[in-house]
């Protein structure tokens, strides 16, 4: 404890607790002012208690990778593409019309393009005037190679994209493999919202993440209706994980998350304590299906 100006602060120094007077200069990198931090009460099992809660965050060894992530966690013959389109605010209606033309084109050439649409969404919470489209292709990366060659020579596709491009501020395409321990994708009937959670992991931690979430998905998707898709990247931005959840409403989302904490508290808390240190950054977007979306 340190007394300064009539106030008392609890000071924790990793590896050593010392008594200091107000005239000492403290290094911010090694101290935590615990009185100024909100604390969530977390009960851990004996393994976590043995090393201490903070130890589970800061003492971690990267698992040795003995095989490719795609061999361990994925069905390599299926590739999922997530497209994000940032649309000019005054061009939304024209964009939606152009997107419908694109979906119609893909459906008309489904056999050639080896793919199907798994959802078309507008962003409800997140980047505004943004639209997200999810496609899945069978046949692995060889099918993607064939798609690229086909589209490069398609006059109809070029006309559709020429109509769409002037309406966009920017666009992004990402390719993913699906985690094999997640349930198979099932298209939903009206009406739902979807949460797209993005986790950018530290290099070398995908095996750990997959091992923990192979257990966590059974706890998290307790109703067998909320898990829509779990993905990870091997091209583009690496160690990029996407979890997509399906709920009837924002209120239903809140209730589902609270139930997991309440009913599987010890197990879920351990998974959170073990996986949080693997993350560099994370984000969440809430999506609303478009009227033309294959899943609602």
């Amino acid at each position: 404890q340190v007394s300064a100006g009539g106030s008392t602060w609890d000071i924790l120094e990793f590896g050593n607790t010392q008594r200091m007077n107000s005239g000492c200069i403290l290094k911010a990198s090694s101290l935590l002012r615990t009185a100024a931090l909100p604390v969530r009460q977390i009960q851990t099992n004996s393994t976590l208690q043995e090393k201490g809660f903070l130890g589970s965050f800061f003492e971690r060894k990267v698992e040795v990778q003995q095989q490719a992530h795609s061999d361990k966690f994925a069905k390599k013959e299926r590739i999922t593409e997530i497209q994000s389109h940032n649309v000019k605010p005054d061009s939304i209606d024209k964009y939606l019309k152009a997107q419908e033309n694109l979906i119609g084109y893909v459906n008309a050439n489904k056999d050639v393009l080896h793919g199907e649409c798994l959802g078309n969404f507008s962003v409800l919470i997140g980047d505004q005037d943004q639209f997200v489209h999810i496609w899945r292709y069978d046949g692995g990366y060889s099918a993607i190679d064939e798609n690229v060659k086909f589209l490069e020579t398609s006059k109809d596709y070029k006309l559709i994209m020429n109509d769409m491009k002037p309406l966009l501020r920017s666009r992004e395409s990402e390719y993913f493999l699906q985690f094999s321990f997640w349930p198979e994708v099932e298209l939903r009937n009206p009406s739902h919202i979807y949460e797209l959670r993005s986790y950018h992991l530290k290099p070398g931690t995908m095996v750990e993440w997959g091992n923990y979430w192979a257990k966590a998905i059974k706890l998290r998707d307790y109703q067998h209706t909320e898990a829509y898709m779990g993905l990870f990247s091997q091209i583009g931005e690496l160690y990029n994980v996407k979890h997509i959840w399906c709920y009837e409403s924002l209120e239903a989302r809140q209730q589902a998350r609270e139930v997991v904490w309440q009913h599987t508290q010890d197990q879920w808390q351990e998974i959170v304590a073990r996986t949080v240190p693997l993350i560099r950054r994370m984000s969440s977007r809430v999506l609303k299906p478009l009227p033309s979306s294959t899943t609602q």
Side-chain angles (χ1 to χ4, degrees):
Q1 292 183 332
V2 174
S3 297
S7 300
T8 300
W9 301 88
D10 292 326
I11 304 296
L12 173 65
E13 181 174 352
F14 296 113
N16 185 27
T17 301
Q18 301 178 354
R19 184 177 302 274
M20 302 179 180
N21 59 39
S22 59
C24 292
I25 299 176
L26 306 181
K27 293 185 178 180
S29 60
S30 64
L31 302 179
L32 292 178
R33 295 170 56 180
T34 57
L37 293 175
V39 177
R40 182 173 187 174
Q41 297 298 325
I42 296 183
Q43 298 175 351
T44 58
N45 61 21
S46 57
T47 302
L48 288 177
Q49 289 174 346
E50 182 178 351
K51 288 188 175 183
F53 180 73
L54 289 176
S56 68
F57 278 87
F58 296 103
E59 297 179 8
R60 181 185 59 79
K61 295 182 179 179
V62 176
E63 286 192 11
V64 177
Q65 183 177 331
Q66 298 178 341
Q67 61 187 125
H69 300 150
S70 57
D71 293 332
K72 184 177 179 64
F73 295 126
K75 298 178 179 179
K76 292 185 288 185
E77 70 276 7
R78 282 187 167 179
I79 308 296
T80 300
E81 180 184 13
I82 298 182
Q83 297 177 344
S84 298
H85 291 171
N86 296 301
V87 182
K88 296 177 180 178
D90 59 354
S91 302
I92 300 296
D93 292 338
K94 292 181 180 179
Y95 167 80
L96 292 175
K97 179 61 177 177
Q99 183 64 38
E100 287 182 8
N101 293 338
L102 178 60
I103 293 173
Y105 171 82
V106 173
N107 290 336
N109 295 275
K110 188 175 181 179
D111 294 337
V112 180
L113 294 174
H114 313 284
E116 62 178 324
C117 184
L118 297 182
N120 308 95
F121 310 91
S122 61
V123 175
L124 184 64
I125 301 175
D127 293 334
Q128 297 300 286
D129 305 316
Q130 185 181 76
F131 295 83
V132 176
H133 308 282
I134 304 175
W135 306 85
R136 184 172 66 190
Y137 307 99
D138 290 324
Y141 286 111
S142 61
I144 301 296
D145 292 334
E146 293 178 12
N147 289 352
V148 171
K149 293 179 181 178
F150 177 80
L151 295 175
E152 285 177 345
T153 60
S154 172
K155 294 182 180 179
D156 291 337
Y157 177 74
K158 290 181 179 179
L159 289 174
I160 293 173
M161 294 309 296
N162 286 340
D163 289 338
M164 182 181 294
K165 288 178 182 178
L167 311 176
L168 303 177
R169 293 179 286 116
S170 64
R171 56 183 175 143
E172 180 183 31
S173 177
E174 302 172 282
Y175 286 98
F176 298 90
L177 297 178
Q178 183 173 344
F179 283 117
S180 57
F181 51 81
W182 274 63
E184 285 294 323
V185 175
E186 293 185 7
L187 302 180
R188 306 301 205 267
N189 295 319
S191 59
H192 298 87
I193 60 171
Y194 293 75
E195 182 180 16
L196 172 55
R197 298 177 70 88
S198 300
Y199 301 92
H200 303 270
L201 306 183
K202 298 175 182 177
T205 61
M206 185 64 73
V207 173
E208 273 190 276
W209 181 273
N211 287 337
Y212 282 120
W213 266 97
K215 304 173 184 177
I217 190 64
K218 299 175 183 178
L219 304 176
R220 183 63 180 80
D221 190 31
Y222 69 97
Q223 293 186 8
H224 305 293
T225 59
E226 296 164 356
Y228 188 64
M229 191 181 304
L231 310 166
F232 68 96
S233 66
Q234 280 200 314
I235 192 170
E237 184 177 359
L238 303 179
Y239 292 96
N240 184 6
V241 171
K242 305 288 188 186
H243 290 178
I244 304 178
W245 305 92
C246 179
Y247 306 101
E248 293 181 354
S249 63
L250 290 173
E251 178 62 26
R253 171 190 176 275
Q254 178 66 23
Q255 292 177 358
R257 294 173 63 83
E258 289 297 331
V259 166
V260 173
W261 277 102
Q262 294 170 4
H263 290 221
T264 61
Q265 190 175 61
D266 290 343
Q267 295 168 286
W268 189 250
Q269 286 176 348
E270 180 178 357
I271 289 171
V272 171
R274 297 299 188 184
T275 55
V276 166
L278 311 181
I279 302 170
R280 292 186 291 113
R281 58 188 174 89
M282 58 187 292
S283 63
S284 171
R285 286 177 283 177
V286 176
L287 314 177
K288 180 180 179 181
L290 296 175
S292 57
S293 175
T294 53
T295 187
Q296 294 290 325

